[in-house]
Amino acid sequence: MPRIRTALLGLFGEAEAPLVIPPDSAGWVRARQVATYQRYSLVIVTANLMNAGLMAAVMYSSPLRWIVVTWALAITGLMLVFLYQWAKRLKQPARETRSAGSINRAVRDTAVLGAVWGALPALCFASSPPEIQTIIATVVVGMMCGAAFIMLSIPRAGFSFIGLLALGGFIGLLSDPTPLHLFLCALFVVYIATMIFSVHRTFGEFVGRLLGERLAREQTDLIGMLLRDFEQAASDWLWTTDASGRLESGAARFCPSGQPPATLLDGFEANADTYELAAMMREQDSFSHLVVRSTSHCGHSWLSLTGKPIYRNGEFCGYQGVAADITAERESADRIAHLAAHDSLTGLANRETFRATLQEMLNYTDSRREAGCLLLIDLDRFKIINDTLGHAAGDSVLIEVAKRVRGIIRTAGVVCRMGGDEFAVAINQPGGDPVLLARQIIDAIERPYPFDGAVAKCSASIGLRRVAREDDDLEILVRQADLALYRAKAQGRGHVVEFDWTMDLEAQELMLLEHDLRSAIAGEQLHLVYQPLAGASTGIIAGCEALLRWEHPRLGNIAPDRFIDLAERSGLIVPVGEWVIRSAIAAAAQIHPGIRVAINVSPMQLRSNNLCSVFVNALAANGVAAERIEVEITESVLLADTEANLAVLQQLRALGLRISMDDFGTGYSSFSYLRKFDFDKLKIDKSFIDCLGKEDSSDAIVGAIIALARVLGMRTVAEGVETGSQLAALSALGCDEAQGYLFSRPVRLDALIDMVGAAPALPAEPLVPLADGPVVDIAQQRAS
Ligand code: C2E
Ligand code: CA
Ligand code: CA
């Protein structure tokens, strides 16, 4: 119903087409409506003139001649105007849009034509003979059908023409209302309704098609514009080739800085990726995101190519695709990959890359495998450079070490930094003796490192492990190289040690030992012995040092030199050390109160949180005065975590304990540590005492140490005094105390109490030093 309503309304004017036309397209649609209508101009003129002429000819002999002739002349006149307008329009350019007025003008013109045509049946039908009536009826229906067809692009024009013509028809028929004419009227109504309905329908489809075309055209324009924009500005561009691979479009973008390549493949470096591309193009395969590198004269950029073959009528006629310049992404990815695989300070490969290189080496099946060798390099006392010259100096030494090692290894293998002051070399090329290479590396590292005014010195130890045919486990390889390195370090500075299987056995033995040490604490296999410290000139015992002993149920007595180190590495030193502190303080309670007790404390114990409370509790539990206890630490305490360690030392001092520096003079820059903490006592290392009286330099050094200590308000103890002449020299140099086999070996508590008296007891007797000669244990001497 609403459609018919709209259609009927359309007949008399205002209704729009049933399709909603967007306002911004209305003018354009109107221009198409008018253009389509005008395309039929000649048909309209011909049909009108022919029909008008025919009617005039047929009715020329009838009494209505003058009416018909006038009518035909009117039609002819209208057609001449129509023709004139058509000819005028031909000279004008096609219009993109039209106003509503141009539609109205077309409606007006066709309405005039319709009215003139309607006059024919209205004036002539009723008074014509039946044969003429038939002709008039046929022409009227024919004109109506023609108008419906030709004017469907402007329905209002069609409706006004058909409507006015029909009106004339009805007037003609009804002026002689015979049953036949009434029947013809009814038929007319059906025709007109059908025509209006189909015009309306077809017009809807016509507009729909127009709008669809317009949308498609707009989209094509938009795509074209985007593509142009994209090709000019973006890093991606389109390219096409012919069947022979010659570039038809996009060539210039492949080589912005030089001569564009003729074929696609010409633009790229001859490498595996380009060969792959060539192979795919030969096979007419599609490819996607294939990365190739452009040739040097085109600026060495990285391109990602996607392409697919084009076929026309089943025949291959080239490729079309997209190229993208991915140089920036590629370079940043390379940079990230480099950062992930390399050490940022030295630029050497890092630990992960090193392991990957070793694994690759283990996968070799050819002669390279036998040439494989692993060097672990550790800088000796590097920490001292950091501590004394600063971290910037430390960094530049590491950078220089890296450079020197790389200079020696060159292409023979891969040099890596494993972290801190540890480096490694994986030799993976035949030729060259690895031991010789290792020696060269040490020599190179030992050359001085000059920088602004100062000169740093450094040395290195190297553990070496050759890859054998049967090796297949990376972990074992590295662990064994590490064992060799450990052995090299134990030998002092600047040694190369090659792994041998006894080391592995020792390592296993050490593991067992570590296991045993855990149970030793609980199983009462540990005990302390005490070595007296006597006045250097008086010989009166003023104190003693507690030294740890381990009686292993199977292996017998194990020297502390062997197991203290093991305990430190495994962390067991903390519980072992606590046991020592408690036992030594308990012993102090039994010894004459005039005798001080020295306790050795390892760096790792300083790092444990409850060192102070262990001392406080032990002192309180045994009623021992804190001043009687001396804590002996070595220089290494001041090497690592200095600030934290100094804070703990201050706390210990605050408890009233005395702090001694043990093994003084063995360190790299012992004197510099004296500035860091105010020690109560310096224990001059045995190595200086051994040379006393033999080397003038030793006498001078010991003399300087004693003099310096006195200036700084510290007491001095000489360790390992074995001869009377050593004691005499020390006494002459002003050393306060002496400790050594000359007075006594370390003895059990009861023996010490025998010597110095129990608590509370009389002050200890002076101890008479033995004359030069074989060292005699006073305890033994007393016992005998
Ligand atoms: P140290 O603290 O320098 O102890 C002195 C070492 O020199 C002791 O060896 C002692 O027996 C030895 N000695 C003393 N006088 C002479 C002498 O006239 N000639 C010779 N040749 N040697 C002499 P010991 O008892 O084997 O201890 C070795 C090291 O083990 C100690 O060196 C100390 O660093 C460590 N140590 C011992 N007990 C403990 C402990 O309870 N805790 C910690 N952390 N370390 C300990
Ligand atoms: Ca000591
Ligand atoms: Ca010592």
Side-chain angles (χ1 to χ4, degrees), residues 519-587:
S519 39
I521 308 171
E524 296 184 346
Q525 295 164 20
L526 299 178
H527 71 266
L528 291 177
V529 289
Y530 301 86
Q531 188 176 33
L533 276 73
S537 44
T538 62
I540 296 176
I541 300 176
C544 64
E545 179 180 2
L547 295 160
L548 186 57
R549 296 291 177 262
W550 180 13
E551 258 170 72
H552 191 281
R554 194 163 39 84
L555 302 172
N557 285 341
I558 301 177
D561 285 336
R562 233 183 122 194
F563 73 86
I564 291 290
D565 184 45
L566 177 77
E568 278 176 343
R569 277 194 288 153
S570 61
L572 280 173
I573 192 69
V574 175
V576 169
E578 284 177 8
W579 179 86
V580 169
I581 293 166
R582 277 194 294 271
S583 309
I585 292 178

Side-chain angles (χ1 to χ4, degrees), residues 343 349-351 377-378 398 416-424:
D343 166 51
N350 62 15
R351 183 183 286 270
I377 306 168
D378 192 286
L398 289 174
C416 311
R417 181 170 173 220
M418 305 291 271
D421 58 351
E422 282 176 42
F423 295 82

Side-chain angles (χ1 to χ4, degrees), residues 25 56 99 143 262 314 342 364 434 463 469 485 519 545 564-565 604 625 641 644 657 674 707 750-751 756:
S25 300
S99 64
M143 283 308 285
H342 291 80
Y364 288 155
R469 189 182 295 268
L485 174 64
S519 39
E545 179 180 2
I564 291 290
D565 184 45
M604 190 178 273
D641 308 327
L657 300 169
L674 294 184
D750 44 5
V756 299

